[in-house]
Amino acid sequence: MSEPIGQPPERVRVVVVGAGAAGLMATIHAARTLDGAGGVVALDGARKIGAKILVAGGGRCNVTHHEVTPEDYAGSSRNAIRKVLGRYPVTATVEFFRELGVELKREETGKLFPTTDRAQSVLGALLDAVRAAGAEIRFPRRVHEVVAMPRTDDGNHADGFRVRGDDVDLLADRVILATGGKALPKSGSDGAGYEIARSLGHTITDAVHPSLVPLVLHDGDPIRDVSGIALLTRLDVRDGRGKMIATYNAPLLCTHFGISGPVVLDASRHLLNAHAAGDKAAVIVASFLPDDDRDTFEQSLLAAPGTATIHSTLRGRVPERFIGTLAQAAGLDTADRVRTLTKDARKRFLDAIFSHRLAVAGDRGYTFAEATAGGVPLSEVRLDTMESRITPGLHLAGELLDVDGRVGGFNFQWAWATGYLAGVAAAAG
Ligand SMILES: Cc1cc2nc3c(=O)[nH]c(=O)nc-3n(C[C@H](O)[C@H](O)[C@H](O)COP(=O)(O)OP(=O)(O)OC[C@H]3O[C@@H](n4cnc5c(N)ncnc54)[C@H](O)[C@@H]3O)c2cc1C
C-alpha cells in the first residue's frame, strides 16, 4: 500500500468507496444534500470509471424497468427489498435521469433505455452531475482498508473512519461502501468490498455465487452443435424433489459451450443457488414449445397423416436446425414418422420438447456473469438510510448487498435506489 509520507490524512465529510452505479448515485446525492459545500470524495480502483454501465444492455444500458416489484429480486427478504424500493421507485429514477438530460424510452419487454440507445449518455450525465454537485472522483484509487475510529462519548457513533489504500489516506465522518459484487472482475468489482464489510463487523451470506450467468452443457450435448440459434423457451428450475423453484419464459440462445440468453441468465441464479445450498439434484427443465400443451400436442401426433415426420411436424415451430437437436436428444431421426412412433419413442420425443432436462455441467463464472448473488444481508442495515446497524456512520449500497435482480434493469434500479438513500443519509448524518 503506498500513501503520502509524513502528511496527516485529509479530512472530508463523506467518502464513497466504489464509483459504479450505486457509488455515483450516492456521490451525487450526498453532495447535493450538502448543497455544494464540498467534502464528498468517491474513490475507485478502476482505471476507467463506469465500465459496467458502458457494457450494460449490450452498450445501450438498460437503466431500469417499467415495473419493478420485490418479486423481480432474490436474496434478502422480499419485505425488506420492498421497503427499500418503495423509497426510490422507478418514477424517481426516470425523473432523476430526465433532470440530467437523459430521456428514457420503454421497450416492449418493459425495459427502459436511454432514447439515444447509448450507455455513454447515461454515464456522461452521471459524471457531469457529480461535478455539478461539487463532488470529486479520484481514480485509480483502490481502497484496502476502512477503519472505524474509536467511539465518541455517547457511545453511538464511531468518530469517523480512516480510509486507506493506493495513494489514499482520508479521514471521513461517514463512509458509503459501494464496491459491488464479483461480476465482471476486470471492471474492478472483484469482491474486495466483502472483506472491508467483514472487517467492519458485517457478515457475508454463506453462499456467494454468480447470478445471471450463461450455463455450460456437458460435452456432446446436441445443443452445443447449433450455436447461434435462439428460440423462445420456458425454463423451470426444480429442486431435487421436483418442486418448482422458479420459472421463466424468454429467449434462449444456443452457444458452442451450452446456453445463454435472458431466460438462461434468469434461471441460472436459482439453479446455482440450489446447488450452493447443497441440493446438487436441482435441475433446469426446458419446454421448447412454451405456448403448447403437451397432451394436445401428443394428440396431434396420433392424429397426424401417416406421412408426417418429426421434421414436418416441428417445421416452422422451432428453428430448422433445432429440429435435429430435439430428434437427437430423443434418440430419433428427423425422418421418423410421428404417428407410428412406439409409445416409448413418443414419450422420449415429447420429453425432448416439453420436459427437456438440461445437462448442466457448470457455469461460465464471474467473468461472464451480470450480477452476484449473496452479500451483506439487509438485516444488517437500516432500510431507510442504508446505514449499518453494526457500525453506525457506515452505509452500504448496491450489489454488495444480498440482493440480485433478474434481467431487465432491476439490478440498476437497486443500485440507484440504495445509492440515493445512502447518499442523502450519509450527508445529512
Ligand atoms: C455485462 C453486464 C451487463 C449488465 N447489464 C445490465 C443492465 O442492462 N441493466 C441492469 O440493471 N443491470 C445490468 N448489469 C448489472 C449492473 O451492472 C450491476 O448490478 C450494477 O452495476 C451494480 O452496481 P454497483 O455500483 O453496486 O457495483 P459495480 O457497478 O460493480 O461498481 C463497483 C465499483 O467499486 C469499485 N471497487 C471495488 N472494490 C474497490 C476497492 N477496494 N477500492 C476502490 N474501488 C473499488 C469497482 O472498481 C467498481 O467501479 C450488467 C452487468 C454486467 C456485468
mmCIF file of all heavy atoms in Angstrom, residues 282-304:
data_model
loop_
_atom_site.group_PDB
_atom_site.id
_atom_site.type_symbol
_atom_site.label_atom_id
_atom_site.label_comp_id
_atom_site.label_asym_id
_atom_site.label_seq_id
_atom_site.Cartn_x
_atom_site.Cartn_y
_atom_site.Cartn_z
ATOM 1 N N ALA A 282 -30.859 -30.437 -7.995
ATOM 2 C CA ALA A 282 -31.723 -29.421 -8.618
ATOM 3 C C ALA A 282 -31.418 -29.370 -10.113
ATOM 4 O O ALA A 282 -30.262 -29.532 -10.522
ATOM 5 C CB ALA A 282 -31.466 -28.061 -7.971
ATOM 6 N N VAL A 283 -32.444 -29.155 -10.909
ATOM 7 C CA VAL A 283 -32.272 -29.192 -12.373
ATOM 8 C C VAL A 283 -33.031 -28.058 -13.050
ATOM 9 O O VAL A 283 -33.913 -27.445 -12.452
ATOM 10 C CB VAL A 283 -32.817 -30.523 -12.980
ATOM 11 C CG1 VAL A 283 -31.921 -31.687 -12.655
ATOM 12 C CG2 VAL A 283 -34.249 -30.775 -12.552
ATOM 13 N N ILE A 284 -32.693 -27.858 -14.324
ATOM 14 C CA ILE A 284 -33.497 -26.961 -15.162
ATOM 15 C C ILE A 284 -34.181 -27.819 -16.213
ATOM 16 O O ILE A 284 -33.525 -28.624 -16.906
ATOM 17 C CB ILE A 284 -32.651 -25.887 -15.857
ATOM 18 C CG1 ILE A 284 -31.966 -24.997 -14.821
ATOM 19 C CG2 ILE A 284 -33.532 -25.041 -16.768
ATOM 20 C CD1 ILE A 284 -31.188 -23.838 -15.434
ATOM 21 N N VAL A 285 -35.485 -27.654 -16.323
ATOM 22 C CA VAL A 285 -36.262 -28.407 -17.299
ATOM 23 C C VAL A 285 -36.813 -27.408 -18.315
ATOM 24 O O VAL A 285 -37.456 -26.421 -17.943
ATOM 25 C CB VAL A 285 -37.414 -29.172 -16.607
ATOM 26 C CG1 VAL A 285 -38.207 -29.971 -17.615
ATOM 27 C CG2 VAL A 285 -36.857 -30.084 -15.512
ATOM 28 N N ALA A 286 -36.545 -27.682 -19.595
ATOM 29 C CA ALA A 286 -36.943 -26.738 -20.645
ATOM 30 C C ALA A 286 -38.163 -27.218 -21.400
ATOM 31 O O ALA A 286 -38.338 -28.419 -21.623
ATOM 32 C CB ALA A 286 -35.787 -26.555 -21.628
ATOM 33 N N SER A 287 -39.000 -26.258 -21.794
ATOM 34 C CA SER A 287 -40.026 -26.542 -22.800
ATOM 35 C C SER A 287 -39.714 -25.655 -23.991
ATOM 36 O O SER A 287 -39.699 -24.424 -23.874
ATOM 37 C CB SER A 287 -41.431 -26.224 -22.294
ATOM 38 O OG SER A 287 -42.316 -26.302 -23.403
ATOM 39 N N PHE A 288 -39.458 -26.310 -25.142
ATOM 40 C CA PHE A 288 -39.100 -25.540 -26.338
ATOM 41 C C PHE A 288 -40.334 -25.151 -27.153
ATOM 42 O O PHE A 288 -40.211 -24.487 -28.173
ATOM 43 C CB PHE A 288 -38.097 -26.331 -27.181
ATOM 44 C CG PHE A 288 -36.787 -26.521 -26.462
ATOM 45 C CD1 PHE A 288 -36.395 -27.776 -26.005
ATOM 46 C CD2 PHE A 288 -35.950 -25.437 -26.217
ATOM 47 C CE1 PHE A 288 -35.196 -27.948 -25.328
ATOM 48 C CE2 PHE A 288 -34.753 -25.595 -25.542
ATOM 49 C CZ PHE A 288 -34.368 -26.850 -25.084
ATOM 50 N N LEU A 289 -41.494 -25.580 -26.706
ATOM 51 C CA LEU A 289 -42.764 -25.091 -27.283
ATOM 52 C C LEU A 289 -43.596 -24.560 -26.110
ATOM 53 O O LEU A 289 -44.599 -25.168 -25.713
ATOM 54 C CB LEU A 289 -43.509 -26.214 -28.011
ATOM 55 C CG LEU A 289 -42.915 -26.726 -29.323
ATOM 56 C CD1 LEU A 289 -43.784 -27.841 -29.921
ATOM 57 C CD2 LEU A 289 -42.776 -25.593 -30.346
ATOM 58 N N PRO A 290 -43.169 -23.434 -25.541
ATOM 59 C CA PRO A 290 -43.766 -22.984 -24.280
ATOM 60 C C PRO A 290 -45.244 -22.615 -24.388
ATOM 61 O O PRO A 290 -45.940 -22.585 -23.386
ATOM 62 C CB PRO A 290 -42.925 -21.764 -23.895
ATOM 63 C CG PRO A 290 -42.281 -21.309 -25.154
ATOM 64 C CD PRO A 290 -42.101 -22.512 -26.010
ATOM 65 N N ASP A 291 -45.699 -22.337 -25.615
ATOM 66 C CA ASP A 291 -47.108 -21.945 -25.758
ATOM 67 C C ASP A 291 -48.012 -23.139 -26.043
ATOM 68 O O ASP A 291 -49.221 -22.982 -26.198
ATOM 69 C CB ASP A 291 -47.256 -20.903 -26.877
ATOM 70 C CG ASP A 291 -46.518 -19.622 -26.529
ATOM 71 O OD1 ASP A 291 -46.412 -19.323 -25.317
ATOM 72 O OD2 ASP A 291 -46.020 -18.950 -27.453
ATOM 73 N N ASP A 292 -47.411 -24.315 -26.161
ATOM 74 C CA ASP A 292 -48.217 -25.506 -26.494
ATOM 75 C C ASP A 292 -48.410 -26.385 -25.264
ATOM 76 O O ASP A 292 -47.577 -26.415 -24.363
ATOM 77 C CB ASP A 292 -47.510 -26.329 -27.578
ATOM 78 C CG ASP A 292 -47.557 -25.642 -28.918
ATOM 79 O OD1 ASP A 292 -47.006 -24.512 -29.009
ATOM 80 O OD2 ASP A 292 -48.129 -26.196 -29.860
ATOM 81 N N ASP A 293 -49.500 -27.120 -25.315
ATOM 82 C CA ASP A 293 -49.803 -28.056 -24.243
ATOM 83 C C ASP A 293 -49.333 -29.454 -24.680
ATOM 84 O O ASP A 293 -49.608 -29.886 -25.811
ATOM 85 C CB ASP A 293 -51.319 -28.038 -24.003
ATOM 86 C CG ASP A 293 -51.744 -29.107 -23.026
ATOM 87 O OD1 ASP A 293 -51.365 -28.988 -21.858
ATOM 88 O OD2 ASP A 293 -52.418 -30.070 -23.455
ATOM 89 N N ARG A 294 -48.641 -30.132 -23.780
ATOM 90 C CA ARG A 294 -48.049 -31.421 -24.142
ATOM 91 C C ARG A 294 -49.110 -32.440 -24.585
ATOM 92 O O ARG A 294 -48.938 -33.129 -25.605
ATOM 93 C CB ARG A 294 -47.256 -31.953 -22.942
ATOM 94 C CG ARG A 294 -46.621 -33.311 -23.200
ATOM 95 C CD ARG A 294 -45.827 -33.775 -21.981
ATOM 96 N NE ARG A 294 -45.356 -35.142 -22.185
ATOM 97 C CZ ARG A 294 -44.137 -35.559 -21.933
ATOM 98 N NH1 ARG A 294 -43.254 -34.731 -21.437
ATOM 99 N NH2 ARG A 294 -43.803 -36.818 -22.146
ATOM 100 N N ASP A 295 -50.193 -32.534 -23.845
ATOM 101 C CA ASP A 295 -51.215 -33.549 -24.175
ATOM 102 C C ASP A 295 -51.854 -33.273 -25.535
ATOM 103 O O ASP A 295 -52.069 -34.190 -26.334
ATOM 104 C CB ASP A 295 -52.297 -33.581 -23.100
ATOM 105 C CG ASP A 295 -51.743 -34.138 -21.797
ATOM 106 O OD1 ASP A 295 -50.687 -34.818 -21.852
ATOM 107 O OD2 ASP A 295 -52.335 -33.878 -20.733
ATOM 108 N N THR A 296 -52.150 -31.995 -25.773
ATOM 109 C CA THR A 296 -52.760 -31.632 -27.064
ATOM 110 C C THR A 296 -51.795 -31.951 -28.205
ATOM 111 O O THR A 296 -52.190 -32.471 -29.253
ATOM 112 C CB THR A 296 -53.102 -30.119 -27.073
ATOM 113 O OG1 THR A 296 -53.775 -29.816 -25.862
ATOM 114 C CG2 THR A 296 -53.952 -29.738 -28.259
ATOM 115 N N PHE A 297 -50.516 -31.644 -27.943
ATOM 116 C CA PHE A 297 -49.503 -31.919 -28.973
ATOM 117 C C PHE A 297 -49.423 -33.417 -29.231
ATOM 118 O O PHE A 297 -49.341 -33.869 -30.374
ATOM 119 C CB PHE A 297 -48.151 -31.353 -28.508
ATOM 120 C CG PHE A 297 -47.067 -31.440 -29.565
ATOM 121 C CD1 PHE A 297 -46.959 -30.471 -30.552
ATOM 122 C CD2 PHE A 297 -46.150 -32.494 -29.560
ATOM 123 C CE1 PHE A 297 -45.966 -30.556 -31.522
ATOM 124 C CE2 PHE A 297 -45.157 -32.580 -30.522
ATOM 125 C CZ PHE A 297 -45.057 -31.606 -31.507
ATOM 126 N N GLU A 298 -49.490 -34.196 -28.166
ATOM 127 C CA GLU A 298 -49.430 -35.658 -28.327
ATOM 128 C C GLU A 298 -50.623 -36.157 -29.158
ATOM 129 O O GLU A 298 -50.478 -37.005 -30.043
ATOM 130 C CB GLU A 298 -49.408 -36.358 -26.965
ATOM 131 C CG GLU A 298 -49.273 -37.875 -27.117
ATOM 132 C CD GLU A 298 -49.019 -38.595 -25.800
ATOM 133 O OE1 GLU A 298 -49.298 -38.005 -24.734
ATOM 134 O OE2 GLU A 298 -48.548 -39.746 -25.863
ATOM 135 N N GLN A 299 -51.784 -35.602 -28.866
ATOM 136 C CA GLN A 299 -52.973 -35.991 -29.648
ATOM 137 C C GLN A 299 -52.766 -35.665 -31.116
ATOM 138 O O GLN A 299 -53.150 -36.448 -31.993
ATOM 139 C CB GLN A 299 -54.227 -35.251 -29.128
ATOM 140 C CG GLN A 299 -54.694 -35.691 -27.743
ATOM 141 C CD GLN A 299 -54.750 -37.210 -27.592
ATOM 142 O OE1 GLN A 299 -55.269 -37.914 -28.473
ATOM 143 N NE2 GLN A 299 -54.187 -37.731 -26.526
ATOM 144 N N SER A 300 -52.132 -34.523 -31.385
ATOM 145 C CA SER A 300 -51.925 -34.146 -32.790
ATOM 146 C C SER A 300 -50.951 -35.100 -33.474
ATOM 147 O O SER A 300 -51.050 -35.354 -34.675
ATOM 148 C CB SER A 300 -51.447 -32.694 -32.901
ATOM 149 O OG SER A 300 -50.089 -32.602 -32.518
ATOM 150 N N LEU A 301 -50.017 -35.662 -32.690
ATOM 151 C CA LEU A 301 -49.096 -36.652 -33.285
ATOM 152 C C LEU A 301 -49.873 -37.907 -33.672
ATOM 153 O O LEU A 301 -49.690 -38.477 -34.750
ATOM 154 C CB LEU A 301 -47.997 -37.047 -32.289
ATOM 155 C CG LEU A 301 -47.006 -35.976 -31.834
ATOM 156 C CD1 LEU A 301 -45.952 -36.584 -30.908
ATOM 157 C CD2 LEU A 301 -46.335 -35.306 -33.028
ATOM 158 N N LEU A 302 -50.751 -38.328 -32.785
ATOM 159 C CA LEU A 302 -51.504 -39.562 -33.017
ATOM 160 C C LEU A 302 -52.486 -39.408 -34.181
ATOM 161 O O LEU A 302 -52.806 -40.381 -34.876
ATOM 162 C CB LEU A 302 -52.261 -39.960 -31.737
ATOM 163 C CG LEU A 302 -51.337 -40.356 -30.569
ATOM 164 C CD1 LEU A 302 -52.115 -40.484 -29.268
ATOM 165 C CD2 LEU A 302 -50.607 -41.666 -30.891
ATOM 166 N N ALA A 303 -52.929 -38.157 -34.393
ATOM 167 C CA ALA A 303 -53.906 -37.919 -35.461
ATOM 168 C C ALA A 303 -53.237 -37.448 -36.754
ATOM 169 O O ALA A 303 -53.918 -37.139 -37.735
ATOM 170 C CB ALA A 303 -54.895 -36.859 -34.983
ATOM 171 N N ALA A 304 -51.889 -37.378 -36.741
ATOM 172 C CA ALA A 304 -51.177 -36.821 -37.903
ATOM 173 C C ALA A 304 -51.289 -37.766 -39.092
ATOM 174 O O ALA A 304 -51.455 -38.981 -38.916
ATOM 175 C CB ALA A 304 -49.706 -36.615 -37.541
#
